[in-house]
Amino acid sequence: MDSTTDSNTVLSQLKQRLSAHLAVVYQDADINALSEQLVATLTINGGTLPPAPYTNLWHQQDVFLITYADSIEDPPQAPLATLDDFLDRYLADTISSVHILPFYPYSSDDGFAVIDYYQVNQSHGDWHHIQDLAGKYRIMADVVINHCSSRSGWFENFKRDIDPGKDYFFTAEPTDDTSDVVRPRTHPLLREVQTVNGIKHVWCTFSHDQVDFDFRNPQVLLEFVAIIKFYLDQGITVFRFDAVAFVWKQSNTNCINLPQTHELIKVLRLLVEHYCPTAVIITETNVPSRQNLMYFGNANEAHAIYNFSLPPLLLNTLITGDCTHLKTWLMSLPPAQQGTTYFNFLASHDGIGLRPVEGLLSQNQTDELINTMTRFGAKISWRALKEGINQPYEINITLFDALQGTSRGVDNFHVDRFICAHAIMLAIEGIPAIYLHSFLATSNDYERVKHSGQNRAINRHKWHYPTLKQRLDEPFSEQHKVLSRLKYLISIRKQQVAFHPNATQFTLHLGTKLFAFWRQSLNRQQSIFAINNISDQPQMLRLSDINLIEGQIWVDLISGYEFSDLYQTITLAPYQSIWLSNQKI
């Protein structure tokens, strides 16, 4: 800033914008005072300018790893130190960013029932380990914003009616009509709790150990702003807003995706970008596709949204050998505005969600997907629709086991099909994120399911580091083959400007067996035609069908093969992908 006057102008404009959003949410509060408190909590002084509107904070070299802090163990070394060593050894030249799933003290749900937001779980390591990783990679951390552990200090204070916490949690009456509330689980919504003021019924969206916050109290918002500032000060610059769609509750509504939720995200976005202009907010909203798109706002909410429809649609494509529904969805997916992008993934710590394909797959097609995955060892988690009526919510299975065959059964194309899925994900518009267990070709962990009683544990295996190193160093192991092939694809992707997350994308029409799309760089200098055989049979492709420009050298970036005859017919092997480009970089 050039002067104090300029700083004051920035602050004044920020507070005005905050007040406009806060007025929608807190109609009975002193909005100006709350705006002042929020700015003071984040110690914003107007000396730092936010990025210009529609600024992209990413590029084609960005690749995220998703992992738990303790997915790889080598006692007595702290798991975060083991993770650091693993990344240095195997992925340092491959990934740019690491999403470390909740590494705080917790009571259940593998970290998502947070006891203390300001501490690192002692069994994982400490803040120095997080800071060390932040010195090498962009770190994404979860802001578990909808709920916390029933064993947290705040909830103990709620029961004792003392601050901080006494007014932090959402309560309702058993007689309230909650029949329209969207449920992601099957347990009763309200939990009876004994407090010093008698029995209270606390709202619990996800489990009775995960008690929901009451954002009608502005102190809850202030608390989370303080938490985000603390994380920023530790070197964390990417924030995943977990289950954010549920944060605002209101009687006689479905209590999901409410207008107040969007206004709160806008408030947090404004504050974060004025404190740290390079910080990124990603919303985790496991909802139908059209609802998910709402979280971009007008490029003033999430910088990125999870592309939740991609995993189940791509899985459906590869087990049926028919890309019709994936192609229809891709055609309907609006290009993200500059300054926003999609966060693409195929697997994560959770299951493969089924809500994101509502309206995209028929019930029979969803049933076929569920039945095929069940034959491959999957567990199915359910959600409540109405009292006594449940519906499949997600498929719990590792992605590696999910792609071991087709709807006809297991076959010999396991690894090729798995790599094909990732070649598609790495090429489409957005930032790619790969779950650790996909890099490692991890199979279903039935022992963890048995011991935890949780279906999601099937995809949360913990590797013994010496065993893992032995597997990765063995050339014929599945772990070595998968990691090597994924690293090779990523190394190519990172060099192509046409794979920038915001590069132009058009869907191509080459039948039901070839899933194809065209990417063009922002400067229009590079084109890449990503063509994928999603079937278990060889497929013929006439190069004339994709209208390659004559006079240019076209090369498949994956195989290195150059095409001089643009009218020839080529054969793609089962699950082969080609990235046909006019520039070899």
Side-chain angles (χ1 to χ4, degrees):
M1 301 303 295
D2 293 332
S3 69
T4 302
T5 301
D6 291 333
S7 296
N8 289 338
T9 300
V10 170
L11 275 177
S12 177
Q13 291 174 345
L14 170 61
K15 291 172 185 176
Q16 288 176 10
R17 295 175 68 187
L18 287 173
S19 294
H21 297 305
L22 292 168
V24 178
V25 182
Y26 301 109
Q27 298 176 2
D28 298 325
D30 184 339
I31 298 303
N32 291 332
L34 179 55
S35 177
E36 293 278 358
Q37 286 180 282
L38 289 167
V39 170
T41 299
L42 214 49
T43 63
I44 297 171
N45 58 20
T48 301
L49 283 174
Y54 311 110
T55 298
N56 294 323
L57 302 174
W58 41 79
H59 44 68
Q60 67 272 13
Q61 295 182 344
D62 279 313
V63 179
F64 276 72
L65 169 72
I66 305 170
T67 183
Y68 279 103
D70 60 346
S71 290
I72 305 174
E73 298 180 316
D74 190 13
Q77 186 179 52
L80 281 168
T82 303
L83 174 62
D84 198 341
D85 183 82
F86 168 80
L87 297 178
D88 283 348
R89 185 183 296 257
Y90 295 103
L91 290 176
D93 59 348
T94 301
I95 62 167
S96 63
S97 312
V98 184
H99 173 201
I100 308 175
L101 290 153
F103 48 81
Y104 326 112
Y106 68 95
S107 56
S108 64
D109 198 19
D110 281 348
F112 286 92
V114 180
I115 292 175
D116 188 340
Y117 288 80
Y118 291 94
Q119 298 295 325
V120 174
N121 190 328
Q122 290 184 355
S123 66
H124 297 341
D126 56 37
W127 282 113
H128 290 104
H129 292 111
I130 299 295
Q131 293 161 2
D132 287 345
L133 285 162
K136 304 175 185 179
Y137 310 96
R138 202 172 196 186
I139 300 299
M140 177 159 80
D142 287 271
V143 179
V144 186
I145 198 168
N146 178 70
H147 51 263
C148 72
S149 169
S150 64
R151 290 174 49 194
S152 68
W154 292 333
F155 195 64
E156 289 299 320
N157 287 349
F158 166 81
K159 292 188 288 185
R160 296 163 59 194
D161 196 34
I162 61 176
D163 286 322
K166 70 175 184 178
D167 298 317
Y168 277 18
F169 298 95
F170 197 93
T171 61
E173 295 300 327
T175 54
D176 292 345
D177 183 4
T178 58
S179 58
D180 291 332
V181 173
V182 171
R183 300 298 318 285
R185 301 289 186 270
T186 58
H187 68 273
L189 179 61
L190 301 181
R191 171 189 171 182
E192 184 177 290
V193 177
Q194 181 68 53
T195 76
V196 295
N197 295 319
I199 296 293
K200 301 286 185 181
H201 294 88
V202 181
W203 196 283
C204 299
T205 298
F206 290 93
S207 80
H208 280 185
D209 185 42
Q210 293 163 294
V211 287
D212 283 29
F213 291 111
D214 187 353
F215 274 87
R216 295 174 303 180
N217 177 4
Q219 290 301 317
V220 176
L221 175 60
L222 286 163
E223 190 74 65
F224 271 94
V225 170
I227 290 168
I228 291 170
K229 179 185 184 301
F230 179 77
Y231 293 168
L232 285 164
D233 292 344
Q234 307 308 311
I236 296 165
T237 56
V238 186
F239 300 99
R240 176 185 184 269
F241 283 6
D242 176 64
V244 70
F246 296 94
V247 298
W248 194 267
K249 288 86 173 169
Q250 185 172 313
S251 60
N252 301 316
T253 73
N254 61 8
C255 297
I256 189 171
N257 304 322
L258 296 184
Q260 294 90 337
T261 296
H262 290 279
E263 297 301 319
L264 288 171
I265 296 170
K266 292 171 187 175
V267 166
L268 293 170
R269 162 78 177 262
L270 273 172
L271 291 166
V272 166
E273 67 186 9
H274 276 78
Y275 184 74
C276 179
T278 59
V280 169
I281 289 172
I282 304 180
T283 51
E284 187 270 333
T285 47
N286 191 355
V287 295
S289 183
R290 289 186 180 180
Q291 297 176 27
N292 194 29
L293 291 168
M294 295 165 54
Y295 285 86
F296 279 139
N298 294 313
N300 61 349
E301 291 188 40
H303 293 90
I305 61 173
Y306 274 73
N307 220 344
F308 273 107
S309 297
L310 178 61
L313 282 175
L314 186 50
L315 192 56
N316 162 265
T317 295
L318 290 167
I319 68 164
T320 63
D322 185 335
C323 67
T324 300
H325 298 291
L326 182 63
K327 184 166 63 173
T328 300
W329 167 76
L330 195 69
M331 286 190 295
S332 70
L333 199 66
Q337 294 185 64
Q338 298 297 314
T340 68
T341 191
Y342 295 101
F343 193 75
N344 296 324
F345 72 108
L346 300 181
S348 73
H349 61 294
D350 289 339
I352 298 166
L354 295 173
R355 290 216 67 203
V357 291
E358 292 177 9
L360 302 176
L361 295 180
S362 70
Q363 189 58 55
N364 286 340
Q365 290 161 341
T366 301
D367 289 343
E368 180 183 17
L369 179 60
I370 292 171
N371 292 336
T372 301
M373 292 302 101
T374 301
R375 292 199 302 273
F376 293 166
K379 307 291 183 181
I380 306 300
S381 294
W382 299 73
R383 74 184 187 100
L385 290 180
K386 300 288 184 180
E387 186 173 352
I389 302 176
N390 296 331
Q391 180 186 63
Y393 178 70
E394 68 179 16
I395 300 168
N396 302 114
I397 189 171
T398 69
L399 184 64
F400 190 65
D401 279 3
L403 291 171
Q404 63 187 278
T406 68
S407 55
R408 295 189 301 276
V410 176
D411 59 26
N412 294 323
F413 297 112
H414 189 176
V415 172
D416 290 336
R417 187 182 296 109
F418 187 76
I419 298 301
C420 176
H422 287 86
I424 292 171
M425 191 263 288
L426 288 167
I428 66 171
E429 176 185 350
I431 301 172
I434 300 178
Y435 190 36
L436 176 73
H437 292 301
S438 295
F439 271 121
L440 302 180
T442 306
S443 291
N444 295 333
D445 191 331
Y446 299 109
E447 283 299 310
R448 283 187 62 80
V449 175
K450 178 181 177 181
H451 291 149
S452 69
Q454 301 296 320
N455 286 347
R456 285 179 167 179
I458 199 170
N459 193 25
R460 298 175 179 178
H461 180 70
K462 294 187 179 183
W463 280 96
H464 180 230
Y465 194 26
T467 302
L468 176 60
K469 285 190 287 187
Q470 183 178 358
R471 296 274 188 92
L472 291 174
D473 293 341
E474 169 51 58
F476 299 105
S477 73
E478 290 176 329
Q479 284 68 37
H480 178 90
K481 287 186 287 187
V482 165
L483 181 63
S484 298
R485 291 181 66 177
L486 288 178
K487 289 182 65 173
Y488 176 67
L489 287 177
I490 292 169
S491 70
I492 298 171
R493 174 206 157 80
K494 290 167 63 176
Q495 299 178 66
Q496 315 308 319
V497 290
F499 283 155
H500 185 283
N502 293 89
T504 300
Q505 176 173 284
F506 287 104
T507 309
L508 303 178
H509 300 279
L510 299 174
T512 62
K513 304 299 182 184
L514 294 176
F515 177 62
F517 47 94
W518 169 56
R519 302 295 308 279
Q520 186 182 53
S521 61
L522 296 172
N523 64 9
R524 300 189 177 184
Q525 295 301 303
Q526 185 185 29
S527 288
I528 298 178
F529 292 86
I531 305 169
N532 309 273
N533 180 359
I534 50 80
S535 77
D536 58 4
Q537 298 296 319
Q539 299 296 325
M540 310 298 288
L541 170 67
R542 293 191 301 268
L543 292 183
S544 58
D545 286 345
I546 54 177
N547 297 316
L548 302 177
I549 299 174
E550 295 192 55
Q552 295 183 330
I553 297 176
W554 290 89
V555 60
D556 172 20
L557 299 171
I558 297 175
S559 68
Y561 185 83
E562 292 187 3
F563 295 89
S564 54
D565 179 1
L566 302 187
Y567 295 91
Q568 68 179 294
T569 297
I570 63 173
T571 301
L572 273 72
Y575 305 108
Q576 181 182 354
S577 298
I578 62 173
W579 290 344
L580 199 55
S581 176
N582 63 335
Q583 293 183 5
K584 184 177 181 180
I585 300 176

